[in-house]
């Protein structure tokens, strides 16, 4: 993923059965954050950071979507347990992960795909649908702040 290139399209359901497509977010800032697994320590810290920063992120015009390989039941349980107020996408067939590089490359990508464990990366997409920034190693404890710092002044 290179800043300036068109973001790969996606079409997925979230934990509530709501469909999300890249085109739904045209004209707005969007962050896709890929995480390894629901309800694990690092993933919980990251999700809670986004939850706690949700109002500030929304005020700056950013929508955040989480993406991992688990299904609707796991996502719903994770969101319910921690009061997550944003969508967690179900990535059937790991299509979104492959398009956005969340499996990595080479032999490790095959292993990640087999295990259903994504790399922890976040992709910021601008209102025109282009990659604005890729965060290769998000700080799980302060990820909302990282995202806020990358947005233009409002």
């Amino acid at each position: 993923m290179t800043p300036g290139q068109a973001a790969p399209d996606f079409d997925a359901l979230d934990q509530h059965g709501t469909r999300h497509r890249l085109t739904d977010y045209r004209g707005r800032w969007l962050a896709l954050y890929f995480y390894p697994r629901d309800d694990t320590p690092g993933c919980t810290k990251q999700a809670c950071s986004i939850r706690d920063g949700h109002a500030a992120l929304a005020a700056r015009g950013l929508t955040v979507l989480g993406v991992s390989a688990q299904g609707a039941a796991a996502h719903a349980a994770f969101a319910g347990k921690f009061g997550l107020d944003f969508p967690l996408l179900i990535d059937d067939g790991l299509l979104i992960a492959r398009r956005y590089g969340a499996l990595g490359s080479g032999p490790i990508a095959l292993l990640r795909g087999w295990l259903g464990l994504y790399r922890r990366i976040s992709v910021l997409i601008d209102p025109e649908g282009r990659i604005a920034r890729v965060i290769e190693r998000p700080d799980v404890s302060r990820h909302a702040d990282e995202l806020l710092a990358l947005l233009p002044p409002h």
Side-chain angles (χ1 to χ4, degrees):
M1 308 254 65
T2 306
Q5 82 179 73
D9 199 19
F10 64 85
D11 183 343
L13 299 177
D14 68 18
Q15 74 269 30
H16 303 295
T18 303
R19 183 168 302 284
H20 298 265
R21 297 175 192 90
L22 178 62
T23 55
D24 297 337
Y25 297 94
R26 187 74 66 184
R28 296 185 277 170
W29 285 91
L30 174 67
L32 291 178
Y33 89 94
F34 295 87
Y35 62 98
R37 197 146 194 87
D38 291 330
D39 206 4
T40 58
C43 297
T44 298
K45 282 182 187 176
Q46 187 176 20
C48 289
S49 171
I50 293 166
R51 175 202 65 203
D52 295 347
H54 187 258
L57 294 166
R60 295 280 299 279
L62 178 68
T63 299
V64 179
L65 304 175
V67 189
S68 75
Q70 289 74 57
H75 283 349
F78 182 44
K81 183 176 180 179
F82 294 101
L84 307 179
D85 53 357
F86 54 89
L88 300 175
L89 301 185
I90 301 158
D91 190 9
D92 284 335
L94 311 178
L95 295 175
I96 304 170
R98 284 189 178 92
R99 290 179 181 159
Y100 280 84
L103 295 176
S105 60
I108 193 73
L110 295 173
L111 179 60
R112 284 183 188 281
W114 184 69
L115 294 173
L117 295 174
Y118 297 172
R119 291 186 318 133
R120 186 182 310 281
I121 65 167
S122 291
V123 180
L124 185 63
I125 301 168
D126 72 19
E128 287 75 45
R130 300 204 169 279
I131 303 297
R133 184 79 179 264
V134 177
I135 304 171
E136 290 288 343
R137 288 181 181 80
D139 180 337
V140 296
S141 297
R142 47 177 309 280
H143 193 45
D145 292 335
E146 285 180 311
L147 292 169
L148 281 169
L150 295 175
L151 295 171
H154 196 67

